[in-house]
C-alpha cells in the first residue's frame, strides 16, 4: 500500500494479516501554490505502526519543485525527517501535475522536471538511502526525458489490467481503489516486480 494522512488511523496489524508486505508512506509534500514544504502529519505514526507490525517501509514526497535547488531542498527535507531511521524500500520522488488549479509547476519543462528528478535522487543516494521516481504513462511520454533517467528505479502508476508502458519499472501501483482491512476507505495498492 501507499498511504498519507488522508487514510486516518490505520490498524497495521490487520493490514499485515491481510497480506500486505510493504508500505510506502508519504513523508511530506510541497504546496502547489505557495511552495511551502510540509511534513505529513501521520508519517511518524505510520512508520512506527507499520514497522511494529512487521511491514517493510519506504517513503515518498509529493513534489512541486520548479528547479534543482528546490528538488535538493525536498530531498534534504526527507532526510531531516528520517533523521537516520532505517527504510526497507526507497524514498520515492513524486512529481505530479495539478489538474484542478493553477500551480507553480504549470510552466516547468520536461527537461527541468528531469533535472529535478536526477538532483533529488542523487541527494538521497549520497545520504545512503535507496531512491526512485513515481510516474504514469503520460508523465513518461510528455514530462520526463526517460533516456536520461533510465538508471533510476521507476514506481509506475497504471490502473489498466496490464501495464501500458514500454519502459522498465520496479514497482507497479495498479489500483487506487483497494479495500484493505485495517484501512478505512479506499487506498492505493502496489506490487514489487521481482526477477524470477
Amino acid at each position: 500500500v501507499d498511504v498519507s494522512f488522508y487514510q486516518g488511523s490505520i490498524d497495521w496489524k490487520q493490514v499485515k494479516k491481510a497480506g500486505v508486505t510493504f508500505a510506502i508512506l508519504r513523508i511530506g509534500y510541497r504546496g502547489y501554490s505557495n511552495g511551502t514544504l510540509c511534513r505529513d502529519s501521520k508519517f511518524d505514526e505510520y512508520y512506527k505502526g507499520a514497522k511494529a507490525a512487521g511491514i517493510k517501509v519506504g517513503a515518498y514526497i509529493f513534489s512541486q519543485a520548479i528547479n534543482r535547488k528546490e528538488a535538493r531542498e525536498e530531498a534534504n527535507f526527507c532526510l531531516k525527517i528520517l533523521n537516520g531511521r532505517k527504510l526497507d524500500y526507497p524514498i520515492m520522488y513524486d512529481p505530479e501535475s495539478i489538474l484542478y488549479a493553477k500551480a507553480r509547476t504549470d510552466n516547468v519543462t520536461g527537461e527541468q522536471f528531469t533535472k529535478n528528478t536526477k538532483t533529488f535522487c542523487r541527494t538521497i543516494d549520497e545520504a545512503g538511502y535507496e531512491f526512485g521516481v513515481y510516474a504514469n504513462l503520460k508523465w513518461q511520454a510528455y514530462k520526463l526525458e526517460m533516456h536520461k533517467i533510465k538508471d533510476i528505479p521507476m514506481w509506475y502508476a497504471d490502473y489498466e489490467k496490464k501495464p501500458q508502458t514500454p519502459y522498465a519499472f520496479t514497482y507497479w501501483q495498479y489500483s487506487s481503489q483497494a479495500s484493505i482491512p485495517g484501512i478505512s476507505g479506499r487506498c492505493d495498492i502496489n506490487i514489487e516486480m521481482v526477477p524470477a
Side-chain angles (χ1 to χ4, degrees):
V1 295
D2 62 271
V3 293
S4 69
F5 82 96
Y6 293 110
Q7 271 69 51
S9 296
I10 293 177
D11 184 335
W12 289 102
K13 289 181 181 177
Q14 277 197 54
V15 174
K16 172 71 171 176
K17 195 179 288 186
V20 171
T21 58
F22 71 94
I24 305 173
L25 315 175
R26 190 175 74 164
I27 196 167
Y29 59 95
R30 186 187 288 277
Y32 63 81
S33 58
N34 60 16
T36 304
L37 280 172
C38 303
R39 183 180 187 138
D40 189 293
S41 60
K42 288 286 189 179
F43 176 77
D44 294 310
E45 178 186 322
Y46 288 171
Y47 179 92
K48 290 174 188 171
K51 294 287 273 185
I55 294 172
K56 294 182 177 180
V57 168
Y60 78 95
I61 184 166
F62 182 89
S63 170
Q64 288 290 294
I66 59 173
N67 53 42
R68 285 184 289 183
K69 180 183 177 183
E70 288 193 353
R72 190 177 299 108
E73 183 183 30
E74 289 175 351
N76 287 324
F77 183 72
C78 294
L79 296 171
K80 184 177 181 182
I81 292 170
L82 285 168
N83 193 28
R85 282 181 284 185
K86 184 180 181 297
L87 291 177
D88 310 289
Y89 279 78
I91 301 172
M92 299 291 191
Y93 187 60
D94 176 17
E96 293 192 32
S97 301
I98 305 300
L99 304 176
Y100 50 84
K102 183 170 174 54
R104 59 202 303 275
T105 53
D106 285 347
N107 298 315
V108 176
T109 65
E111 179 184 18
Q112 187 62 57
F113 277 125
T114 303
K115 287 178 180 177
N116 296 352
T117 299
K118 291 175 72 174
T119 296
F120 178 92
C121 292
R122 184 169 58 249
T123 307
I124 294 299
D125 183 47
E126 288 169 353
Y129 287 93
E130 293 180 37
F131 54 86
V133 60
Y134 177 87
N136 58 22
L137 188 60
K138 192 171 281 188
W139 264 76
Q140 290 181 336
Y142 300 112
K143 296 286 189 181
L144 295 171
E145 297 174 324
M146 294 298 292
H147 65 286
K148 293 183 179 178
I149 59 168
K150 59 187 177 185
D151 295 330
I152 296 176
M154 177 64 60
W155 179 19
Y156 176 64
D158 190 335
Y159 305 153
E160 299 296 329
K161 287 186 177 179
K162 291 183 179 178
Q164 308 298 298
T165 182
Y167 300 104
F169 57 92
T170 307
Y171 308 94
W172 177 21
Q173 185 188 76
Y174 64 92
S175 176
S176 61
Q177 297 296 311
S179 179
I180 304 292
I183 302 176
S184 46
R186 302 293 178 181
C187 69
D188 300 335
I189 195 162
N190 309 270
I191 56 174
E192 180 182 8
M193 311 308 288
V194 179

